[in-house]
Amino acid sequence: MFRVFQNLNTHTNRFFNHTEAGLAKGQYENEQLVAVSYKEDNNIITKLFSEKYLLDKQILTNRIFTWDSDTMQSLNTLDLSLMCYQRYNITKPKLSDVLKKYIKRTYDNEQIQMLKRLIKNDNLIPYYVMVADLCRQSKLYLELGQNLYSQFSEQDKQFYCHLLKAKKTLKKIRTNQIVVNKDVLLNYLKSADNKYQKIGNQILKRLQNQKLMQYLDITGTVTGRVVGTKGLNLQTLPKKVGLKRCIESRFKNGLILVADWNAMEFRIALAEAEHTDLTKTDIHTQTAQQLFQKKSITTDEREEAKIINFSIIYSGFANKNADIIEKLYPALNDKVQRVIEEARRIKKQINIFGRKRIFSNDTLFQTKAFNNLIQGTAADICLRALYLIQDSIEEQQLKSRIILAVHDSIIFDCQNDELPVLLKIIQDIMTDKAIPATYKQRLLFPVTVEVGNNYEDLVDMATIYKNEV
């Protein structure tokens, strides 16, 4: 966090042996912090304290804290973390990296003088609070952000707006919170395997009033898949072991609803290869029928076909199934090779949304280029669906809420009487509006819906196709 404040000339000799110091109060990760800066040997020293600690010690009083109103800007759309993530594949940019890229200076002992030159106001002292982030309202932040934004192409700007919408929606999803039945969780922990004890105890530790807040991040991976942060990742909750049973609806007779795209990544791969198939036959069953040359397919045969289909996503054609896939989907083989060759040539891969992945010279293009195209596109479809669904929920003033996103699925806490409306929203967005137009012309993107009284005991409700509920 980096903020610019006015020098308050406040006497703090009760605590620091200095007659003049600048003080500022701010918030970081829901904690009120105080920055105290003073000169020592011609250097400006900053120390960070909890506000509660300083007040409890009666060292400082509330009345001395103030923002410098001249340097505060109204909220803006510049988000340096997203910009660095988009343009340079930097997931968590440090201030030093940002400064090197934008103003070609090293963040060193001349930091104060350099920042003053940027701010062009000697009466302001920049208080160094934390290097992990930049305050969106500081002049430095605005200058760096505008500098980078000016370098964006129209495609860059569109994708950046896409990321901003997704980030805003994930913040709302966090505040929706997840209801956890503490008694069910405690009962589970009594007999749980050791490997599940840790995550169960993490949930228990973070519970507040039977509710759990999941922080979701869209910059945790280069492909953009949503991941849980702050030491808790509910995306990795194990299946069929009982742990997910503690997650329940907040509504009386409410439902946990899971909407999951059916084989989305493989459908994206086929759409990218310009394969056309608008039938409603299960995609893995189709592969099995071709593979085994028969119409009636067993569950085991479908699973074998599913493994073959997804092997192309995770390892390209560099696997034992390459010959089989090439025979079944020859256009897919050509597409994989074109993507790999293009990534090797330009050292990057850009998907249909504008998401880019930058590769170094020694990158294994064979395994990463096509994987990035497919997984990155799947992530962006899910992000688009999240903010479009959230907008629809708000417009229709529904009480049902999105509570989690896990890879290719979206989890809802659904009020029972809103189920028909929510299904229509899911159909309208997940099978249609969230899907790129060229993909919709080639393949259907069905969504499987499961419901239950909790997140563990779910039953299949329906498979929803475009224009059909």
Side-chain angles (χ1 to χ4, degrees):
M1 189 179 298
F2 204 89
R3 303 185 188 276
V4 179
F5 306 110
Q6 197 170 24
N7 185 351
L8 302 178
N9 295 328
T10 305
H11 292 274
T12 57
N13 55 340
R14 284 182 299 165
F15 191 53
F16 296 100
N17 189 23
H18 300 274
T19 58
E20 192 173 285
L23 298 106
K25 180 174 69 172
Q27 189 176 49
Y28 187 76
E29 295 185 352
N30 299 322
E31 183 182 3
Q32 292 292 337
L33 300 175
V34 175
V36 181
S37 294
Y38 54 91
K39 273 191 175 182
E40 185 173 278
D41 297 329
N42 291 322
N43 290 319
I44 291 185
I45 308 298
T46 298
K47 295 187 177 181
L48 195 65
F49 299 91
S50 162
E51 178 190 20
K52 185 177 184 304
Y53 170 79
L54 295 181
L55 293 176
D56 287 347
K57 296 291 185 180
Q58 296 183 334
I59 296 166
L60 303 173
T61 61
N62 272 319
R63 62 185 176 84
I64 66 169
F65 299 133
T66 181
W67 297 115
D68 175 13
S69 58
D70 292 335
T71 64
M72 296 301 288
Q73 306 284 336
S74 59
L75 288 177
N76 60 85
T77 59
L78 297 180
D79 188 314
L80 283 184
S81 293
L82 287 184
M83 288 179 172
C84 292
Y85 171 75
Q86 174 187 348
R87 193 164 182 82
Y88 301 110
N89 293 156
I90 301 176
T91 56
K92 294 181 179 179
K94 294 180 180 179
L95 179 58
S96 57
D97 295 329
V98 175
L99 292 176
K100 285 177 185 177
K101 287 185 180 297
Y102 305 140
I103 57 178
K104 309 301 181 186
R105 287 178 178 272
T106 304
Y107 192 72
D108 54 21
N109 291 332
E110 294 182 337
Q111 56 189 0
I112 300 303
Q113 289 73 21
M114 178 186 66
L115 291 173
K116 278 186 177 180
R117 287 197 295 272
L118 282 172
I119 298 166
K120 297 181 177 63
N121 188 337
D122 288 338
N123 295 324
L124 298 177
I125 293 180
Y127 293 107
Y128 177 76
V129 180
M130 286 191 176
V131 299
D133 203 357
L134 294 170
C135 172
R136 294 189 184 189
Q137 295 133 324
S138 71
K139 288 188 176 181
L140 171 63
Y141 184 100
L142 291 172
E143 185 166 337
L144 297 182
Q146 289 164 355
N147 184 2
L148 180 55
Y149 193 72
S150 67
Q151 301 174 39
F152 278 9
S153 65
E154 284 305 311
Q155 185 185 45
D156 287 333
K157 291 176 182 177
Q158 289 176 8
F159 182 66
Y160 173 64
C161 289
H162 163 72
L163 290 180
L164 278 174
K165 290 177 184 177
K167 188 171 183 178
K168 180 180 177 182
T169 297
L170 291 182
K171 187 175 181 180
K172 291 181 179 178
I173 293 172
R174 179 202 316 165
T175 59
N176 285 343
Q177 296 184 308
I178 299 168
V179 173
V180 174
N181 187 317
K182 187 175 181 180
D183 292 336
V184 172
L185 178 59
L186 288 172
N187 188 56
Y188 169 80
L189 290 174
K190 290 178 182 177
S191 57
D193 291 345
N194 289 335
K195 59 181 178 180
Y196 304 135
Q197 286 277 349
K198 182 178 179 181
I199 189 168
N201 285 321
Q202 286 176 339
I203 293 173
L204 190 62
K205 182 180 178 180
R206 287 165 172 78
L207 273 185
Q208 292 186 353
N209 298 322
Q210 300 285 87
K211 292 182 181 179
L212 182 69
M213 189 176 289
Q214 171 69 92
Y215 291 81
L216 298 174
D217 182 20
I218 59 173
T219 61
T221 64
V222 289
T223 58
R225 276 195 159 182
V226 174
V227 294
T229 62
K230 301 195 183 294
L232 182 65
N233 188 354
L234 298 183
Q235 279 76 5
T236 59
L237 284 180
K239 297 180 179 179
K240 299 180 180 179
V241 299
L243 179 55
K244 296 166 81 171
R245 191 168 287 121
C246 68
I247 296 178
E248 299 179 345
S249 173
R250 75 195 65 230
F251 305 111
K252 183 178 180 180
N253 300 321
L255 298 167
I256 297 297
L257 185 153
V258 177
D260 187 3
W261 278 281
N262 182 283
M264 177 161 71
E265 290 185 348
F266 188 61
R267 291 175 189 274
I268 291 171
L270 292 177
E272 282 284 343
E274 301 184 14
H275 177 86
T276 300
D277 181 4
L278 295 174
T279 67
K280 294 181 181 179
T281 306
D282 174 73
I283 200 82
H284 299 312
T285 300
Q286 285 187 30
T287 301
Q289 288 171 341
Q290 296 181 66
L291 183 63
F292 298 106
Q293 292 294 298
K294 62 179 184 177
K295 189 172 183 179
S296 180
I297 298 299
T298 66
T299 301
D300 289 343
E301 288 169 339
R302 181 185 179 279
E303 285 300 308
E304 185 175 342
K306 183 177 179 180
I307 292 171
I308 291 173
N309 283 343
F310 280 106
S311 66
I312 188 174
I313 309 300
Y314 301 107
S315 57
F317 277 78
N319 64 77
K320 63 180 181 181
N321 300 313
D323 292 339
I324 298 173
I325 301 173
E326 186 172 1
K327 290 178 182 177
L328 297 176
Y329 302 104
L332 194 52
N333 179 36
D334 294 340
K335 179 63 179 181
V336 171
Q337 299 309 319
R338 290 199 303 272
V339 170
I340 292 172
E341 290 168 8
E342 179 72 0
R344 183 180 287 113
R345 184 178 67 84
I346 66 174
K347 301 298 186 293
K348 68 179 69 171
Q349 194 285 310
I350 305 174
N351 76 358
I352 196 169
F353 284 82
R355 178 183 295 277
K356 65 182 68 172
R357 169 105 179 252
I358 299 173
F359 298 109
S360 60
N361 290 327
D362 59 351
T363 297
L364 297 175
F365 297 100
Q366 182 78 10
T367 58
K368 291 186 178 181
F370 194 70
N371 171 272
N372 183 75
L373 168 63
I374 304 307
Q375 283 201 355
T377 302
D380 287 319
I381 289 174
C382 187
L383 292 179
R384 179 188 278 178
L386 283 171
Y387 59 72
L388 291 177
I389 291 173
Q390 180 64 32
D391 288 346
S392 291
I393 288 174
E394 291 177 7
E395 287 170 8
Q396 300 187 48
Q397 298 182 342
L398 301 183
K399 294 181 180 178
S400 299
R401 308 175 184 188
I402 301 172
I403 57 172
L404 196 60
V406 181
H407 302 317
D408 300 339
S409 63
I410 300 176
I411 295 87
F412 300 84
D413 185 353
C414 175
Q415 184 166 284
N416 200 296
D417 60 0
E418 292 181 349
L419 180 59
V421 179
L422 191 57
L423 288 175
K424 184 67 176 71
I425 291 173
I426 290 170
Q427 176 268 329
D428 187 38
I429 293 172
M430 292 182 69
T431 70
D432 188 6
K433 291 181 180 178
I435 310 297
T438 55
Y439 291 1
K440 291 187 290 187
Q441 295 167 6
R442 296 168 184 162
L443 284 99
L444 297 177
F445 284 78
V447 173
T448 300
V449 175
E450 297 177 296
V451 295
N453 295 324
N454 58 68
Y455 192 22
E456 179 83 22
D457 302 316
L458 301 170
V459 295
D460 290 338
M461 181 181 182
T463 298
I464 301 175
Y465 292 85
K466 181 181 175 182
N467 299 326
E468 172 189 296
V469 174

